[in-house]
Amino acid sequence: MPSVAGRRVLAPLALAQFICSFAGSNMNVMINDISQDLDTTVQGVQVAITTFLLVMAALMIPGGKATDRFGRKRCFLAGLAIYGVGALLSAAAPGLGVLILGNSILEGVGTALLIPPVYILTTLLFHDLAARARAFGMIMAAGGVGAAAGPLIGGLITSGIGWRAAFVFQALVIGVILLLSRSIPDPLPPDPTRSFDVRGAVLSAAGLVLVVMGILAADNNLWLMAALIAAGVLVLLWFLHWVRTQERSGREPLLSTALFHDRASNLGLVTQNLQWLVLMGTSFTVATFLQVVRGYDAVQTGVIFTAATLGVLSSSLAAERLAKRRPQRTLIMAGFVLCVAGVGVLLALVAGSPSPWAFAPGLLMIGLGLGVMLTPSVNVVQSAFPEERQGEISGLSRSVSNLGSSFGTAIAGTILVSGLNDHAYATAMAVLAAAGLIGLVIAALLPRSAQTRA
């Protein structure tokens, strides 16, 4: 068990990861309530959810880089403050536009500032592999539970008080984190002389936004989808060219190409992306199907997700013991196997039974699988780099993960809104299972004897 000092540091960091993951999934059970109250559509709420995840993904790399210049704790606190303002604005939103400003933009910006310090500080403050695995296990458990329990907690609040109260809840949790954060040290002093690549930040964010917006446009206009994705790819290629130009001229780019020289880290990043794609895609798909097709309310929908929450929590908290007994590669592969099997069980049981509890076995398996592999994937990536690279790799790692969340919600949502029926649900889940199989193949390519740095 971590020391008292360790627990004091981990508590606010884990709680911060919890609330950010909670924000990404709790709106899934508010789709009907928000669309009726704000006079919008399911697609409008989907855009708000996806935009929040997209803003996080697009700004996570600049957010990680900013920690070197301004300090990890300072960025953490600034992110919390911006997030809190966004949550309160969302609670008072008179329409979808203000909700997107508060939830999607301000909470997204705040998350992009506060999440990289969570992983940087954990890596810097916990030195040996077992202690770091334990710390990441607690943080990833908090994140996984936040994402999996978001529908339940959001559903209880929405049914008991109203959907706006869920954002007040987020603001209150932010206040608690701010109080607890006083005990967090910053092992490395900020370096105001460090340059910040503004053009690189704009190009990377614009490229990611265009790609995800292209996916969202798929159900309305295939030509527009193709044009947006192509434009996004071109902008990202421009970004890579700019990075190489900066490095050749001796200047510091937003993202060093040296981050992509470690094979294990590269593969770990891909597994992170696919893990969160499966998690958020499943959450959105099942929650939408239950509410729109089956007609369940927010509480009923949230209760069904308890199975996934229990699965994530139980396997994440076992991260330290698992890290001692099994190679990281084995754990990641096992996680994807469980997730794919869980999706298969979901499709089989739900098709044959009208009972809401038919969802429980599949969601439990998906939760167990995610909990098993979230921590080793993060540990493989973070531990592959020295202290001076932690700002960059943390921003890249979180950006890749949140981009996976964006892809999951965007892809699944696009399939669902094109035809909200049993066939669309099965198609969306089959796509998520295919993503899980790709993740399994990528995990199998991880070096068998790779050892992360202590």
Side-chain angles (χ1 to χ4, degrees), residues 295-364:
Y296 296 161
D297 61 25
V299 171
Q300 291 171 316
T301 302
V303 167
I304 293 171
F305 276 92
T306 305
T309 306
L310 292 174
V312 171
L313 182 60
S314 58
S315 53
S316 293
L317 292 180
E320 181 185 7
R321 296 193 301 275
L322 293 172
K324 291 178 179 178
R325 297 175 182 175
R326 296 287 185 271
Q328 314 247 35
R329 172 180 178 269
T330 302
L331 295 177
I332 298 171
M333 290 180 65
F336 278 115
V337 169
L338 282 169
C339 282
V340 173
V343 172
V345 170
L346 271 177
L347 288 171
L349 293 184
V350 171
S353 171
S355 169
W357 296 111
F359 289 88
L363 289 174
L364 177 63

Side-chain angles (χ1 to χ4, degrees), residues 5-6 21 27-28 32 41 95 124 153 170 182 185 230 247 278 303 311 318 342 360 373 378 398 411 433:
S21 298
M27 282 180 65
N28 291 339
N32 285 340
T41 63
L124 296 179
I153 300 173
Q170 292 180 46
R182 293 175 297 177
E247 288 184 325
V278 172
V303 167
M373 63 181 167
V378 170
R398 295 303 88 206
I411 293 170

